[in-house]
Amino acid sequence: MDKIKLTTGPLSDKLSLNETLKKRGSCRNFSDKPIFKNQLASILWSGQGVLTRNYDMRRTTPSAGSTFPLELMVAVRKDGVEDLAQGIYHYLPGQHTLKKISEKDISEDISAACFNQEYLKKAPVTLLVASEETRTTRMYAERGQRYVYMESGAAMQNISLEAVEMGLGTVIVGAFDDAAVKKLFELEEVKPLAIMPVGYPKDKAFYA
Ligand SMILES: Cc1cc2nc3c(=O)[nH]c(=O)nc-3n(C[C@H](O)[C@H](O)[C@H](O)COP(=O)(O)O)c2cc1C
């Protein structure tokens, strides 16, 4: 399947970290306005972007023992991203690339799999944070499971703040049917942890 090279997004740094934190909040009402591929690239970079390639292999999110158990999947709705076709993609952090998995628009099905949380139908992009836990439990045994959850929290907060920085909104969605989500994203080995719809907030006052 196709691979799409991403350029790192605007990284505008308009807001200070404290300003960004003050504006953080869950967004559940998305406008029809598409986002840009560069913005999606920034969001993905904030979640798992590779910073250094030497022995420490730093990413934007810390990882217990640098085991990097997280995977980010992306569902793009029809006309959801200005210069990227609808479909399901897998983010490959090492190459800062999207690998196309399918051309389906699964936004309606995601909403159904999240026990009919309606606002998910409207999000231009929906991320899935998933994990291959054995990468971490191989090193830390059972305790590794909690490390994976800690790490996913760090990644999701990065994504939330990066969204704010670009005037976009998101929310962490934990209520969903695991089996249905796995099937939708065509996952075999990895476990779905959380869903994050991303888009422009419909309510202009959201970031006021
Ligand atoms: C682990 C976790 C799971 C969540 N799951 C959902 C969810 O399934 N649906 C939803 O609408 N919000 C979900 N939320 C968002 C919370 O409802 C929200 O953070 C909370 O109401 C506080 O609002 P705020 O984020 O705007 O400060 C979740 C948040 C967390 C941290």
Side-chain angles (χ1 to χ4, degrees), residues 10-25 160-169 206-208:
L11 297 178
S12 55
D13 299 330
K14 281 196 301 277
L15 302 176
S16 71
L17 178 59
N18 284 341
E19 285 166 331
T20 308
L21 282 166
K22 283 185 198 158
K23 287 172 186 270
R24 190 218 61 83
S160 302
L161 297 179
E162 187 71 19
V164 174
E165 166 65 29
M166 293 186 292
L168 301 172
F206 193 79
Y207 285 127

Side-chain angles (χ1 to χ4, degrees), residues 24-28 114 117 119 156 171-176 194 206:
R24 190 218 61 83
S26 294
C27 175
R28 301 184 185 83
C114 296
Q117 298 191 55
Y119 60 91
M156 291 192 285
V171 55
I172 294 173
V173 177
F176 55 81
F206 193 79

Side-chain angles (χ1 to χ4, degrees), residues 25-41:
S26 294
C27 175
R28 301 184 185 83
N29 194 4
F30 297 100
S31 117
D32 289 332
K33 188 175 162 185
I35 69 166
F36 287 100
K37 193 167 75 180
N38 270 357
Q39 291 176 309
L40 175 60

Side-chain angles (χ1 to χ4, degrees), residues 4 68 84 113 121 137 145 150 152 202 205:
I4 295 127
F68 303 115
L84 184 66
K121 291 182 185 170
T137 54
Q145 283 178 1
M150 290 178 198
S152 70
K202 193 165 192 176

